[in-house]
Amino acid sequence: MKFSTRILIVDDEEMICESLQAWFVRDGYQVETALSGEAALKIVENSPADIYLVDIKMPHMDGIEFLTRLKECQPNAIVVMMTAHGTVQTAVEAMKRGAMDYFCKPFDPDELSLFMERILANKALREENNTLKELLSESNQQGLSEVFIVHSEPMRAIFSKIEEVAPSSAPILITGETGVGKDMVAKAIHFRSERSCGPFLAVNCGSLSESILESELFGHEKGAFTGAVKARRGRLEMAHNGTLFLDEVGEISQKMQVSLLRAIEEKSFLRLGGSQPISSDFRLISATHRDLPSLIKEKQFRDDFYYRINVITIDVPPLRERLDDIPVLADHFLKRYAEETGKSLGGFTHKAIDLLSSYHWPGNIRELRNVVERAVVIARGRMIGAEELTFVNPRHDAGLIGSATLRELEINQIKAALESCNWNIVRSSKRLGIDRSTLMRKMKRYRLDRC
Amino acid sequence: MARKGSRKTGESHIDIVPIGHVDALAVSVVAANLQTLMGLNADTLPLHPEPEYAYLAVRSQYAAGKIIKELESIDEGSRFKLGIVQCDLCTPILKFVFGESQLGGKAAVISLHRLQDKDPARTYLRAAKIGLHETGHLLGIGHCQTHDCLMAFVSTIEKLDGQPARFCTACQYEISRTLKYIFG
Ligand SMILES: Nc1ncnc2c1ncn2[C@@H]1O[C@H](COP(=O)(O)OP(=O)(O)OP(=O)(O)O)[C@@H](O)[C@H]1O
Ligand SMILES: [Mg+2]
Ligand SMILES: [Zn+2]
Ligand SMILES: [Zn+2]
């Protein structure tokens, strides 16, 4: 966030401007300076900054006047006043007129860095309140924060629904194709609910074997099975006062559905090998890319469990149904990866954007992210062009079939499945309709490996 | 002269300039750390006089910027100069600094004044950390968001002591890349 933050320093003393500029540049900000209020207003006209550091005492237009004029055209600007003489009176006046804070020159280094942290936090807060554009969702484990882009009409609708349903404790089912952002939606709900201080525990039901999943969810007592050398708390127990996220809930066996159903209804359960009921108060969010109603028809999913987990449904549409999001997301990932790799990239060419918008995105946003990441790595110029975009699963209906051999088609199919399942073997093999060992054999034969 | 002549091309190097009365051991420890952590060979130039030109009577401190300018004007030796002083340093906007550097420039300076501890080994370690940080800036590296990296900004002596004496992998990579680019 820091790196895209622009600071404008307004001070009539050149040395102060230079010194402050040097400090902020080293700290990773984009910094401009102006030696007078008038000069600063000119800059504001063309390209407003995010944060302004303004000296109170300046000849001609003083800091207070600049502040007043600035607030007329940019009411949400973050303005910090600086004073060399500790004139508390004027500082108070500045705060009344909308300055966020003031400090005395010279600054204490610690004060300055704490101060900037506070301003940045505040800036994030305001952005969240002011626009629907991005919603900061925090990842529970690493405390990383990822930006959730909300741009297109369908995504805005989802965002308002998230806000509407977050406060209650009703179970939510998030549906949508792979890679559309179901995880992100789940986290967004948790972090906007009253349980946000509690844990957010995710269990990927598709990637664990039945017995491991069972002890993962319910925990076990010492000696419950060979290898259970110590008692262990399960996710249900750990999610107390927080949110339990059952990802790929469509993959749960019917037997497990029964146990879970009971635990949800009674709000209590037994650890494996245990006899003491354990109660836990959690909110349940589930997600699946599968069509549960048709699984129910095929008797592969229990309807009583379905009704229990599906009190509220949030359906996240595939990327090809929200074309407006494509340029915004592509740009977002471009910035992120350019920053990570230290490349300076301006954006995408028109051709590239057209190509991105016409692709069918079977792996949705995850696939878009991978395509952009790759393009950033191989990019040579300042702009990413169409030729730098490589898709794992180009449309075959575009005449490719005739020229491709059966072997090539198979490789493409397998690659696409792996890619869209994030290289999860179990899920990919299900998707391809072959068993796990066959898939692994084929991967070996075709030397398919995550690159 | 012999020193200059002994430099092989392709060898990364920096000159350390003791300014005024400074603890010679601190200078050696800083030099040793530049060598081991950054792969920069450090030569120590002869002592420079006390920086009276940088004294600010109103603040009873020394202007870091003026000392850097002075270091910049030394023509001989390495393209990089790291000054070490005992006196207290400040900048126009900061009440004090442990060190100051030109981002991607020629010269930097560090002060032992606020790094002093009863245990001299601790003082030297602090000086080495600040020296490495400021030298990182000389190579064009800005502040790092990784907390346990020497390129993170530290504003207090406690935070400095809590910082491990190493660069994160990203900064380390940048350092070797830049040195390779500059010294071939
Ligand atoms: N609206 C969004 N803004 C920014 N990034 C997004 C958005 N939606 C998804 N992503 C990114 O796309 C990737 C896939 O998202 P996520 O894991 O939430 O998808 P999913 O639907 O849960 O996928 P799967 O079905 O495979 O579990 C993640 O890296 C996520 O950061
Ligand atoms: Mg997911
Ligand atoms: Zn620094
Ligand atoms: Zn670092």
Side-chain angles (χ1 to χ4, degrees):
Chain A
M1 173 175 348
K2 210 171 187 176
F3 302 95
S4 55
T5 301
R6 290 188 56 232
I7 299 182
L8 178 60
I9 296 160
V10 191
D11 198 310
D12 59 316
E13 263 183 90
E14 202 165 348
M15 221 163 57
I16 298 277
C17 281
E18 277 173 10
S19 187
L20 265 174
Q21 182 172 33
W23 194 86
F24 283 112
V25 166
R26 264 175 305 204
D27 219 37
Y29 297 91
Q30 296 178 41
V31 193
E32 274 184 89
T33 60
L35 292 172
S36 69
E38 290 89 345
L41 283 176
K42 281 233 171 66
I43 295 176
V44 175
E45 254 175 52
N46 295 318
S47 50
D50 302 294
I51 300 172
Y52 297 84
L53 272 92
V54 184
D55 185 26
I56 291 186
K57 238 174 124 183
M58 290 185 290
H60 313 297
M61 186 187 295
D62 70 1
I64 302 287
E65 192 185 340
F66 170 77
L67 169 68
T68 316
R69 302 266 291 268
L70 175 69
K71 284 277 172 179
E72 282 165 14
C73 56
Q74 202 186 338
N76 291 324
I78 295 174
V79 185
V80 179
M81 307 303 285
M82 308 183 286
T83 152
H85 315 285
T87 45
V88 178
Q89 213 48 50
T90 30
V92 169
E93 177 65 25
M95 307 279 278
K96 271 198 204 143
R97 292 181 191 230
M100 194 171 108
D101 212 334
Y102 77 96
F103 42 129
C104 297
K105 293 184 280 190
F107 317 139
D108 185 294
D110 200 36
E111 242 172 50
L112 182 60
S113 69
L114 285 176
F115 195 79
M116 287 316 294
E117 273 172 35
R118 224 174 67 217
I119 290 185
L120 279 183
N122 188 284
K123 179 173 173 266
L125 207 75
R126 287 199 199 187
E127 275 172 1
E128 206 177 352
N129 290 342
N130 286 345
T131 74
L132 284 178
K133 221 179 101 213
E134 26 186 64
L135 148 74
L136 292 168
S137 95
E138 279 128 82
S139 147
N140 52 321
Q141 290 107 352
Q142 298 110 328
L144 292 171
S145 68
E146 249 195 315
V147 180
F148 186 12
I149 306 287
V150 179
H151 179 76
S152 63
E153 218 29 66
M155 282 315 281
R156 278 165 192 261
I158 284 178
F159 181 75
S160 355
K161 184 138 184 192
I162 289 173
E163 294 218 290
E164 182 194 319
V165 303
S168 87
S169 263
I172 297 177
L173 178 66
I174 306 168
T175 59
E177 290 179 16
T178 182
V180 288
K182 299 186 292 294
D183 284 53
M184 288 196 96
V185 169
K187 278 179 199 147
I189 295 168
H190 171 74
F191 284 107
R192 322 209 115 217
S193 74
E194 280 151 14
R195 297 171 178 266
S196 62
C197 295
F200 175 87
L201 284 169
V203 185
N204 191 320
C205 307
S207 63
L208 302 171
S209 74
E210 165 112 12
S211 55
I212 293 179
L213 178 61
E214 192 174 16
S215 80
E216 193 65 30
L217 287 173
F218 298 100
H220 58 74
E221 296 294 351
K222 187 177 165 183
F225 48 84
T226 18
V229 283
K230 266 201 266 177
R232 196 163 160 250
R233 295 165 72 217
R235 298 289 163 122
L236 260 60
E237 206 172 326
M238 293 193 278
H240 184 56
N241 286 333
T243 304
L244 178 68
F245 178 46
L246 294 182
D247 204 358
E248 313 291 359
V249 74
E251 317 302 316
I252 299 184
S253 73
Q254 304 228 15
K255 177 171 159 268
M256 192 88 72
Q257 290 175 29
V258 177
S259 323
L260 267 172
L261 179 62
R262 189 175 315 134
I264 297 164
E265 282 180 349
E266 296 172 6
K267 287 191 189 294
S268 92
F269 56 90
L270 302 177
R271 285 183 186 164
L272 302 188
S275 54
Q276 194 72 9
I278 290 165
S279 62
S280 177
D281 172 29
F282 55 81
R283 189 215 199 129
L284 183 67
I285 302 180
S286 316
T288 183
H289 65 272
R290 307 194 55 171
D291 180 14
L292 295 184
S294 57
L295 286 182
I296 292 173
K297 268 195 213 123
E298 295 164 24
K299 299 261 180 281
Q300 287 191 37
F301 205 80
R302 295 181 59 101
D303 56 357
D304 49 1
F305 183 57
Y306 178 69
Y307 293 121
R308 188 44 80 169
I309 63 173
N310 183 29
V311 176
I312 295 163
T313 318
I314 295 182
D315 184 44
V316 188
L319 195 51
R320 63 185 165 279
E321 285 172 22
R322 39 183 169 115
L323 297 179
D324 285 356
D325 280 336
I326 292 176
V328 183
L329 282 164
D331 220 59
H332 166 67
F333 293 130
L334 174 90
K335 286 217 181 77
R336 184 165 122 198
Y337 290 121
E339 202 170 88
E340 270 176 24
T341 55
K343 286 195 174 180
S344 66
L345 285 164
F348 296 89
T349 62
H350 284 300
K351 275 217 176 102
I353 290 288
D354 286 348
L355 191 61
L356 289 173
S357 307
S358 59
Y359 182 62
H360 61 303
W361 299 114
N364 291 293
I365 299 168
R366 181 177 298 111
E367 191 182 357
L368 173 64
R369 192 194 66 195
N370 293 343
V371 168
V372 174
E373 178 174 24
R374 224 187 125 106
V376 169
V377 170
I378 62 173
R380 288 282 162 269
R382 246 190 67 72
M383 302 295 278
I384 288 183
E387 63 289 348
E388 274 146 343
L389 301 171
T390 29
F391 302 97
V392 273
N393 192 19
R395 270 187 195 281
H396 291 132
D397 50 11
L400 232 162
I401 284 199
S403 57
T405 64
L406 207 55
R407 179 192 146 96
E408 280 165 355
L409 285 177
E410 185 173 49
I411 293 175
N412 278 341
Q413 211 63 48
I414 293 175
K415 258 197 199 158
L418 285 165
E419 204 67 46
S420 65
C421 298
N422 209 13
W423 292 78
N424 178 310
I425 308 276
V426 176
R427 273 156 54 206
S428 308
S429 59
K430 273 188 189 155
R431 169 162 289 222
L432 289 161
I434 57 182
D435 67 41
R436 209 170 133 249
S437 53
T438 312
L439 174 60
M440 284 169 65
R441 225 175 38 240
K442 284 182 191 290
M443 283 171 69
K444 217 167 169 181
R445 175 167 353 127
Y446 297 140
R447 292 174 208 276
L448 294 174
D449 216 335
R450 200 174 203 156
C451 40
Chain B
M1 265 316 160
R3 178 185 56 79
K4 255 164 107 183
S6 69
R7 280 268 162 259
K8 293 189 287 280
T9 45
E11 202 175 280
S12 311
H13 50 99
I14 184 169
D15 286 334
I16 299 192
V17 188
I19 302 172
H21 173 76
V22 279
D23 185 338
L25 257 174
V27 176
S28 325
V29 173
V30 171
N33 277 282
L34 285 168
Q35 164 75 63
T36 47
L37 270 88
M38 298 180 100
L40 257 175
N41 296 295
D43 288 317
T44 304
L45 298 189
L47 194 83
H48 274 228
E50 292 289 346
E52 290 315 328
Y53 55 87
Y55 187 68
L56 297 169
V58 269
R59 294 175 64 168
S60 309
Q61 287 173 304
Y62 291 74
K66 290 222 168 117
I67 300 179
I68 286 179
K69 283 251 158 60
E70 182 70 18
L71 287 169
E72 223 187 336
S73 69
I74 307 176
D75 270 334
E76 52 151 350
S78 168
R79 62 183 287 161
F80 295 127
K81 299 278 183 292
L82 176 65
I84 303 186
V85 298
Q86 180 58 49
C87 59
D88 197 17
L89 297 176
C90 67
T91 72
I93 53 140
L94 292 178
K95 281 199 174 124
F96 67 87
V97 290
F98 297 138
E100 178 77 356
S101 180
Q102 300 168 312
L103 190 66
K106 273 183 70 175
V109 61
I110 68 169
S111 156
L112 304 177
H113 186 85
R114 290 173 190 260
L115 309 180
Q116 229 64 48
D117 190 82
K118 291 193 300 289
D119 176 7
R122 171 168 287 187
T123 309
Y124 301 152
L125 179 61
R126 289 171 175 171
K129 287 178 179 176
I130 299 294
L132 288 160
H133 179 98
E134 300 306 340
T135 307
H137 283 324
L138 285 182
L139 300 180
I141 300 167
H143 286 152
C144 180
Q145 302 304 300
T146 313
H147 280 292
D148 52 1
C149 170
L150 277 174
M151 287 317 290
F153 174 70
V154 293
S155 47
T156 64
I157 204 79
E158 292 77 26
K159 287 179 189 162
L160 181 64
D161 284 340
Q163 193 176 42
R166 58 174 193 81
F167 295 100
C168 72
T169 45
C171 289
Q172 189 72 62
Y173 174 79
E174 275 304 310
I175 289 167
S176 29
R177 204 177 60 110
T178 311
L179 287 178
K180 216 165 140 196
Y181 174 76
I182 294 175
F183 294 102

